Each structure stands twice: as structure tokens, then as C-alpha cells.
Amino acid sequence: MRSFRTSLSIAAVALAISLAGCSAATTGSTSSGTSGTATTTTTQQAVTAATIEEDTHYDGDDLSWDASTEVAISLADGGSKVTSSSSTGVAVDGNTVTISAAGTYRLSGSLTDGKIMVAAGDSDTVRIILDGVQLGNSSGSPLVVQSADEAILYLEDGSTNTVTDAASYADQGDDAPNAALFSMADLTIAGPGSLKVTGKYNDGIVSKDGLVLASGKVTVEAADDGIRGKDYTVLLDGAYQVTAGGDGVKADNETDEGRGWLLVSGGSLSVTAGDDGVKAFNTLTVSGGTVNVAKSEEGLEAQHIAISGGDVTVTSNDDGVNASGGASSSTADGGGMGGGMGGGETVGDYSVDVSGGTLTINAQGDGLDSNGNASISGGTVMVNGPTNDGNGALDVNGELAVSGGTVAAAGSAGMAVTPGTSSTQSGVQITFSSSVSAGTPVHIVDSSGAVVATFVTTKTIASLVFSSSAIADGATYTVYTGGTADATAGLTTGSIDGAKQQGTVTAGQYTQAQGPGGGGGGRR
């Protein structure tokens, strides 16, 4: 309903949404009084809509309409019917239903081999209510938005809807549909109902413009990418479960400046991907909600990655969080990697910034990797990194600045990166004389005998970098392994009863491949 605005930066929008509470605007489609207008239900939802609409097509009134103006379409093989008197914008030709005008259309029934086509004007908003719809097509996509200003798919409360495409497409030309649910216009998905999308040919859900996932219970299975927006992809609320042979969820505009960004501000996103889990060409922001990448090559990938809230869990065969790609202008820098490595690595226009929330990484490659700089100022970062010395739990080409939050990064010792000289929060680096088996508690104990931190690794490790406000710069800490822990993985509380003392470390002294008690030589 609104053309894209550039008046606010992506970061400003993400912050505004975070402060607003990060719940999406959702409504039921039930009538309000006799007017039949669906409205938002909370002040918080309205505030969120008001902030996100500044940088996307999404408006606060997208989910409000007059029910008396709905055009009802009953789908049936060989017999689809338009039952509303206001039907001039709908044409039925065999098993193809074409919507050519702005309005609100309520669909029910099924087409086993048919198509819903939206071919409206460039200034038209088309709202389609899916109210128990099953769509299939044997030669292409069964739901295509060919033209409109904006298309809104609203999932009726209590409804179950399915969209399944063909395994091969008759039309494979430029700009031809390549997804089970395909839109050339801005697309919004909302509503409390459920939707299952199966993309047998290529992708599941695609918008060649902007994509806002406002609510809904949506499951996507795709041969290639699961959910793909172009200018931006935004998850405000709802539960989205994606299984993809390629990338899970992405925004991929590589040509227009400031586009190709992805934001998760609420709801839940679960991804199992054959390639990258959640990906943006430009900026990937998580300010709220839950993101779980259960399987991927690289978990989160973008030129700039910012986590200011929410709960993010990543499992990857390669890098867990990777700031790379994008439109970088790199410069050589001889300062080395983070605070601990030399080697003249190239430092590009890439960044990872964690200021809140929880980030848990289980990576076979680098855990948290930036081809530029990285900063941690809040939240909790837990990395179960690689077991091979060719990768590291932390890998930062430029400076890793730690000024707050809690960091526990465990993995191999050969590529261990530590906080850089600009860090204002101290920490300790532990390189073990022999590997520590998965499931073994590691305790950091201060001079009074109090356990400052207990970390339980999920895999065999040779090193651990830990930083938190509980670590006093210059103080000496004793490291133990074994004993007990109150959780089976991650940061927790524990006891050193029965534990084995490994040695001591001094906070703020970072070295390479140096065991407990091995002395300084590092830097803060």
C-alpha cells in the first residue's frame, strides 16, 4: 500500500521495533460490530506497525478491511464460482481464477490442478483471505501475483491452507514464476491460520519486491530456497518452519543500494537448510523473537550482522555467523586478527555486532566470523567452535571489541582469536595442555574460591575464551575441569567438588597456544 521509503535507516527501524516490543500487528478477520472491519488488538501492535511501515510497504491498516465488501470465491475443479455480487474484478476460465482489481477476496475450496492469478493495476492493493484452501498445479505455480502494488495473504483463523507446485515448470523464461507462491509485487503474509507451502520445482515463497511476514503458522518445504524476498524480508510475528535444499530464508537484492536486508523482530523461525540458514546481501538484524537454524552450511550470513535481542541458535557445517559477501570495499590491514593473531588479514566493510539477546553457535568451521570488525557490548554469546586447528571459535580479521555482555567461545587452539586492545571488558584465555572431552564442565574460579563461571562444551575443545563483567582485569583465576554442572551444555552454574585443577590464568593477558599458568605476553 505504500511505496518504499528511504527516510529512515535500516538500523534505526530495527532499533525502533526493538524498543516497541517487537510483536507483530496481527488481527482476526472477524467483523467488528456491523461494519465488518478487522482491527489490530493492542497498542503495542499498532506501535510496531507504525515503525516498520517507514521502511517497508507494510501499513498499519493492511490488516483492516470492511467485511461487507469481500468477494467470495469458491474453488472447485471445473466449477469455481464467484458468489458475491461485486465480482467485476474476478474472471474464471476453467481452473484458472484471475483477480484483476483492488479489493478483498475470500477464497475457499480446492483446485488440484489450477491457478490463482493476480493481475491487478500497479497502484492496486489485493487482499486474499485463505479460508481453507488447497491449491495444486501440474505444470507450474498455483498462486502467482503477476502485478499489483501490494498483495496481502491473510490466513483465516482456524483455517488450514496448502499450496503445492509442479516438479517441473512449462514456463522457465525470465521473470517467470519459480516458486509455489510467487509474487512480482510487495507481499505480506498475516493472520492466525496455517499455511503449508511445498516448492517441488525450486523455491517455496518468493517476492521479487519486499516481503513482510506479519503473522501466521507457516511451514515451507522447498527444493531450493525456502523463503526469499528481494528488497527486504521482515519477520514480525508468527511461527515459520522452513526446510530447504538451498538457503532457508533470505533477502537477495544485490544491485540497489540499501536493499537486500533482513530483519527478525518477533515470532519464531526454524530453519533446516542445505546451504545457508538465514542470509541477507546487505544487513541481517535480529532484534527479537526466536531463530533456530538446526542445520546449514553457514548459519547466518550477511555483510553486516546485528543482534540486539531475541534468542538465536545456529548449527552449521561451516561458519556459524559469517559477516562476508555483500558490497564490500576492502583495505589491507596489518594489525592481524582480533587481539591474538598476526598475518596481515584483509579487513573489509563487514561487521558482527551483538548488543543483546542470546546467540548460541555450534559450528564445524569458524564460530563467529567477521571479514571486518566485530563488537560485543551486551547479551550472551556462546560458541561451540571447530575441533580442527584450521578454524577458530572466533575469527575476526579486524578488531574484536568487547565492552559488555558475556562471551564463552570454545574450540580448537590453532586459530584462537581473543578480544582486541580496544576492549573495555576484560576476560581470560585458556589453552588446555590436553583436550577436554564433550560434556565436561570447565570452571573459572576467583582467588576467594568462588566459581565465577561454569561452561559445559558440546564437543571436544582445546581452548576457551571467556569474558564477562565478573572478570576483574589483572586478577588471577584458577581453571578446573570436571566436578558438576547444573546444565548439560552452555553457560551455567556448577561446583568444583571432585574437579581437576588445570592451572591459572591472568585476566587481560591473551596469548596464542598458551596453557593455564603459562604466563603473559598477551595484551588487553
Side-chain angles (χ1 to χ4, degrees):
M1 294 184 68
R2 178 187 298 268
S3 61
F4 186 93
R5 295 183 182 181
T6 57
S7 57
L8 293 183
S9 69
I10 296 168
V13 171
L15 177 60
I17 293 171
S18 177
L19 295 175
C22 306
S23 291
T26 59
T27 74
S29 60
T30 54
S31 299
S32 174
T34 58
S35 67
T37 302
T39 58
T40 52
T41 57
T42 68
T43 301
Q44 181 178 347
Q45 291 170 340
V47 171
T48 302
T51 54
I52 193 64
E53 73 179 22
E54 294 294 339
D55 260 12
T56 75
H57 65 271
Y58 184 75
D59 277 344
D61 63 355
D62 275 356
L63 307 184
S64 300
W65 66 90
D66 186 346
S68 67
T69 66
E70 292 178 7
V71 176
I73 304 173
S74 177
L75 303 175
D77 291 330
S80 295
K81 296 180 180 180
V82 182
T83 58
S84 170
S85 59
S86 303
S87 59
T88 56
V90 183
V92 178
D93 182 8
N95 280 349
T96 298
V97 177
T98 302
I99 297 171
S100 59
T104 300
Y105 302 84
R106 181 179 291 271
L107 275 61
S108 61
S110 65
L111 292 173
T112 57
D113 188 7
K115 178 183 291 186
I116 305 299
M117 172 74 77
V118 176
D122 291 340
S123 61
D124 289 343
T125 295
V126 176
R127 183 181 294 104
I128 297 176
I129 304 169
L130 298 182
D131 189 3
V133 171
Q134 290 76 47
L135 296 177
N137 192 291
S138 64
S139 61
S141 171
L143 207 169
V144 175
V145 180
Q146 180 178 340
S147 60
D149 178 43
E150 177 186 359
I152 302 166
L153 290 185
Y154 188 88
L155 311 177
E156 180 58 75
D157 191 11
S159 71
T160 299
N161 307 279
T162 62
V163 176
T164 305
D165 68 354
S168 62
Y169 279 27
D171 184 359
Q172 300 183 18
D174 293 341
D175 287 333
N178 63 350
L181 197 169
F182 180 86
S183 177
M184 292 294 294
D186 289 326
L187 176 65
T188 298
I189 298 176
S194 67
L195 171 65
K196 181 177 180 180
V197 177
T198 304
K200 295 180 179 179
Y201 168 65
N202 196 52
D203 298 343
I205 298 174
V206 167
S207 170
K208 299 290 283 186
D209 213 327
L211 175 61
V212 172
L213 310 173
S215 56
K217 296 182 268 305
V218 179
T219 302
V220 177
E221 297 178 0
D224 192 17
D225 300 336
I227 298 176
R228 179 162 60 90
K230 186 176 182 182
D231 290 346
Y232 49 81
T233 298
V234 178
L235 175 58
L236 296 177
D237 206 346
Y240 286 74
Q241 184 170 330
V242 178
T243 303
D247 298 329
V249 180
K250 67 194 297 185
D252 63 356
N253 189 329
E254 300 183 5
T255 57
D256 298 328
E257 184 177 359
R259 305 290 182 98
W261 56 273
L262 188 149
L263 167 66
V264 178
S265 73
S268 65
L269 174 62
S270 177
V271 175
T272 299
D275 200 352
D276 299 334
V278 182
K279 183 175 185 177
F281 178 77
N282 190 340
T283 300
L284 191 165
T285 302
V286 180
S287 61
T290 301
V291 177
N292 179 25
V293 179
K295 178 185 176 183
S296 65
E297 287 302 307
E298 296 193 333
L300 308 184
E301 183 176 70
Q303 183 179 354
H304 301 288
I305 299 172
I307 298 174
S308 60
D311 188 353
V312 180
T313 303
V314 170
T315 301
S316 65
N317 292 326
D318 198 354
D319 299 341
V321 171
N322 186 25
S324 66
S328 153
S329 56
S330 301
T331 57
D333 181 89
M337 301 173 63
M341 294 203 63
E345 293 290 330
T346 297
V347 179
D349 180 19
Y350 307 102
S351 63
V352 176
D353 297 293
V354 181
S355 59
T358 300
L359 171 61
T360 304
I361 300 170
N362 187 338
Q364 294 186 38
D366 296 323
L368 188 154
D369 184 359
S370 174
N371 288 352
N373 296 310
S375 67
I376 299 171
S377 59
T380 300
V381 177
M382 293 176 285
V383 181
N384 292 281
T387 57
N388 69 84
D389 283 337
N391 293 287
L394 302 172
D395 183 5
V396 181
N397 287 14
E399 181 83 355
L400 171 60
V402 180
S403 59
T406 301
V407 183
S412 58
M415 296 283 285
V417 169
T418 59
T421 56
S422 65
S423 298
T424 57
Q425 177 172 283
S426 194
V428 295
Q429 177 191 9
I430 305 159
T431 305
F432 299 96
S433 57
S434 60
S435 60
V436 177
S437 300
T440 303
V442 178
H443 309 277
I444 300 171
V445 179
D446 66 17
S447 58
S448 71
V451 177
V452 173
T454 296
F455 181 76
V456 183
T457 149
T458 61
K459 59 181 72 171
T460 299
I461 64 169
S463 72
L464 173 66
V465 174
F466 178 81
S467 176
S468 82
S469 59
I471 298 294
D473 191 44
T476 299
Y477 295 87
T478 305
V479 179
Y480 293 84
T481 57
T484 60
D486 296 326
T488 57
L491 286 167
T492 182
T493 54
S495 169
I496 60 173
D497 290 345
K500 180 181 179 180
Q501 181 175 326
Q502 297 292 333
T504 61
V505 290
T506 301
Q509 293 187 354
Y510 302 123
T511 61
Q512 287 301 301
Q514 194 74 45
R523 58 178 184 169
R524 182 182 158 208

